[in-house]
Amino acid sequence: MTEETIDQKVPSKEEVVRFLTEQIEVKKIQLELQVLNADLAEARSRELKALGFIAQMTNPTPPADAVAHNLTQEDMDQNPELSEQGFKVGDEVLVPKDSEPAKRSLKKK
């Protein structure tokens, strides 16, 4: 090999410094991108959590043992908060069944 060929393969000190400086800039930009992606993922997670909460609030799942009931004037008189919530006489609502178990009587055989 000639001396000229060897000089072409070995970069100068300035070239190495310039290359490393460029790589440092690239890594800084990659780090910024990584932080932005993490922040975006966190924001999306909070958004999904909020949407789930809103969905539960606006469309609650009634209890499995709920029964339909048409509101009467007596219901409205006994529960004034119903009118505050926008209910009126004749509206159909779901109410849970009584939680007390039915009383059983035992008989001798």
Side-chain angles (χ1 to χ4, degrees), residues 11 38 40 55 59 76 91-92 95 104:
L40 178 61
N59 191 15
M76 300 302 285
D91 286 349
E92 185 176 287
V95 292
R104 299 183 337 183

Side-chain angles (χ1 to χ4, degrees), residues 6-86:
I6 294 173
D7 287 341
Q8 289 176 357
K9 290 183 179 181
V10 177
S12 68
K13 181 178 179 180
E14 292 81 21
E15 291 173 332
V16 171
V17 170
R18 189 173 37 242
F19 174 77
L20 292 176
T21 304
E22 289 173 2
Q23 290 302 306
I24 289 171
E25 289 177 25
V26 168
K27 295 298 178 186
K28 284 180 181 178
I29 293 170
Q30 286 176 340
L31 179 61
E32 288 178 34
L33 180 60
Q34 210 171 20
V35 169
L36 289 173
N37 283 335
D39 290 346
L40 178 61
E42 184 180 341
R44 284 182 177 163
S45 173
R46 284 194 309 264
E47 180 185 19
L48 285 174
K49 185 176 180 180
L51 287 173
F53 181 72
I54 290 168
Q56 280 184 333
M57 299 255 324
T58 57
N59 191 15
T61 305
D65 63 347
V67 292
H69 173 73
N70 288 327
L71 291 175
T72 63
Q73 186 59 49
E74 182 181 355
D75 294 328
M76 300 302 285
D77 294 340
Q78 292 177 355
N79 302 291
E81 69 276 1
L82 290 175
S83 61
E84 294 169 6
Q85 295 173 358

Side-chain angles (χ1 to χ4, degrees), residues 94-105:
L94 294 174
V95 292
K97 287 185 180 178
D98 293 332
S99 58
E100 294 180 19
K103 294 182 179 179
R104 299 183 337 183
S105 60

